[in-house]
Amino acid sequence: MAPEATPRRIRYPGRVQTDHDLIARWRAEPAPLLPLLHAFHDRDGFLSDDALKAIAHGLRLPLADLYGTVTFYHHFARTPGGKDAPRVCDGPICKLKGCDQLLDELEGATPMPCAGRCDEPIPVLQGDRYLVGLPGQGALDDRPPHRPPVNPMGLDECSFSHLRDPARATLEGYLATGGYAALEKARAMDPEGLLRLVEDSNLAGRGGAGFPTGRKWRAVHDAKGGPKTIVCNADEGEPGCFKDRVLMDYDPHAVLEGMAIAGQATGAHRGFLYLRYEYPHTEVILERAIEEAQGILGEFKVYVRRGAGAYICGEETSLLNSLEGRHPFPRNRPPFPVTHGFEQTPTAVNNVETLVAVPQIVARGAEWYTGLGLGDHNGTKIISLSGDVQRPGNYEIPIGLPLRTLLEDWAGGPPEGRKIQAVTMAGLSGGFLGVNDLDATLDEPCLRGKGSFLGAGGVMVFDDSRDMVEVARQAMSFFAHESCGKCFPCRIGTQRLTERLSGQAGPKDGGEWKDEVHAIGHTMSEVSACGLGIAAPLITESLLRLFPDQVDAHLAKS
Ligand SMILES: Cc1cc2nc3c(=O)[nH]c(=O)nc-3n(C[C@H](O)[C@H](O)[C@H](O)COP(=O)(O)O)c2cc1C
Ligand code: SF4
C-alpha cells in the first residue's frame, strides 16, 4: 500500500534569498541556529566561510565556536557541491548487502552511518533526494518505505493500530480514524487526572532508557519556572533502528497529538521535533501535518528542527545543546532536563514511539494498554528487525514475546539452509545474544539478566556464514566514529577496542589480549559520561563470551 511518491524538500522557490533575508527570517525564531545553517546549506549547496561569518554575525555567536559546532556534524558540506554528493549507508546491515561495492561504483560517494532503512536496499542520500542502491545497479529512484508487516498472531497493537490505513497521514484520514479525540479528552481532564492515567499505564520511554513517562511528565509539571517545553526525539541514529521514521511518515498526526497531550499534562505550550538529517522526506510530511493541524493544536506550537548528522545528538542533553545552537556534547547531570532542559527551563524529552502510544492510551485507557503485554509485562514495543531473516521490518510485539517466536514464526527465520548465529539488541548498544539465548523473552528484566537490554528495539540478525569478529569491529568503529570526545575513557577506549578487533594492536598472548579488552571495557562502562561509552563495551564483552573460537582464530591470524 505505497503512497504515490516520496515527498521532496523544495526550499525557497522563486527569488534567491540573500544572507540578510535568511538571517532576518530565522533570527526571531526559537532555536534558530540549525535551521539557519540548513537554509544557507540548501541555498548554496555547502557552507562557505562567508556564510559562517554572516551567521556568526547575525546570531552574535563567536565564529570559532560556530566553526567547531558546524564541523562536528557529518552532513554540513564545506566545499562547493558537497551537499549533493551521494552518501551511501555503511551501517551493519548495508555492509552485508555490499555497500562497499556500491560506494566504489557511485562517483564521489562517501559513507554515512546507518541511515535507518535496514529492511530495504541500501539507502543513498543525494542532497534531499532519498534513493536506494544495489551493488551492480547503482542508485535507483526513491521508494516509499515499507509499511510494517501485520503480526501473524492477530494481536492487538497500540502504535500501529491505524498505521496501515493509507489515508492516515492526512488530517482528514486521521480524524476519520478517531484522531485528535484523545487530545480533546485530555483537554477536558485536569492535569492531575491525565498524569495519573499515564502513570497507571506504566508506559516507559521507547527511545532507549525506558524511563517511566508519567513520572517524567509529573516532574516537568511540578518544576518551577518556564516556559516549559516538549521535545520529540526523532534523531533515530541507533544502527538497526527504523521505527520512528515509519511512524512519522505514515502517522505524523499521532506524533503531534502525543506532543500536544504531553503539553497538556505538563503545562508546556511549545514543542520541538528534532529530526535526523537522513530523513528529508519526513520533514516535508511533518511540516504539512503541522500546517494542517494548526487549528486543532491551538496554542501548542510545534517547531521542526533538522539535525545534521551526529549519533550523539540522540542523547537527550546533547540534543538540547544542539537545539540551543551549542556544541552538542552531552551535559553533566544533575540537573536533569525535567528541571533544566531547553534553555535551562523544564523540558520533557520523549521518543517518537513513546509519544505515538499516548493518544491510544488516553483514548482507550491505562488498563487496555497494560493488558497488551504478555504475563506481568505492560504494553507493546516496536522491534525493527533486519539482517539475515526472511521478512525484515518493523513489528509491534507484546512485551514479553519470546525472541524465537519473533524471529522464526513472525519473520520466517534465517535464509534457506542457514542458521541464526547471533542477534544484536538495542540496535548495537545491547551487544550480541547467541543461539542459546533465543528463548529469551523481549522485556528488560529478561534481557538485562543476559547482560543486554531492549533499548530502542533494533534487532539485527547474523546467520552462521558471518564473521562475528568483523561484525564487532565494524560496530566498535561506529562507536569510535560517533564518540563525541568529551570524556577520555570513551574517546580513547572505543579507538583502542577497534584497533584490537582489527588485529592492529594489543598483546600477542591471547589471554593477555582478552584481559586487556576486558579492562578497557570495564573502565569505559564505569566512568564514561553518557550511554554511548557505557554501552559500547557490551559488544566486546558479548563477543568474548559467545564466540571464543572466532576470537582465537582472529588472534591466530593477527
Ligand atoms: C548515545 C545515545 C543516543 C541516543 N539516541 C536516541 C535517539 O536517537 N532517539 C531517542 O528517542 N532516544 C535516544 N537516546 C535516549 C535519550 O537520551 C532519551 O533517553 C530519550 O529520548 C527519552 O525519551 P523516552 O523516555 O521517551 O525514551 C539516546 C541515548 C544515548 C546515550
Ligand atoms: S561517553 Fe563518549 S559520547 Fe558520551 S560524553 Fe563521553 S565521550 Fe561523549
Side-chain angles (χ1 to χ4, degrees), residues 127-201:
D128 290 327
R129 293 189 66 206
Y130 212 126
L131 311 173
V132 290
L134 285 172
Q137 295 182 35
L140 313 169
D141 214 353
D142 325 32
R143 284 190 200 169
H146 285 148
R147 280 182 198 268
V150 180
N151 82 62
M153 288 162 75
L155 296 171
D156 239 5
E157 294 172 312
C158 172
S159 308
F160 284 169
S161 304
H162 299 286
L163 189 106
R164 297 180 193 86
D165 183 331
R168 179 80 173 174
T170 63
L171 180 61
E172 206 186 345
Y174 191 68
L175 291 171
T177 43
Y180 289 115
L183 177 59
E184 207 178 312
K185 182 171 170 188
R187 283 180 176 151
M189 295 169 79
D190 63 357
E192 179 53 36
L194 188 53
L195 287 169
R196 223 168 323 112
L197 192 160
V198 179
E199 283 167 346
D200 289 348
S201 75

Side-chain angles (χ1 to χ4, degrees), residues 312 315 329-330 479 482-491 494 524 527-534:
I312 197 60
E315 194 283 332
F329 278 152
F479 287 126
E482 298 299 323
S483 166
C484 77
K486 179 181 167 178
C487 57
F488 181 83
C490 167
R491 172 166 38 109
T494 50
M524 286 170 63
V527 298
S528 289
C530 89
L532 189 157
I534 294 169

Side-chain angles (χ1 to χ4, degrees), residues 205-211 213 216 233 235-238 244 311-312 314-316 349-352 354 530-532:
R206 298 302 187 220
F211 191 83
T213 306
K216 184 180 287 187
N233 188 342
D235 198 52
E236 191 154 65
E238 183 72 39
D244 295 340
Y311 169 63
I312 197 60
E315 194 283 332
E316 58 185 6
V349 183
N350 278 120
N351 172 254
V352 173
T354 316
C530 89
L532 189 157

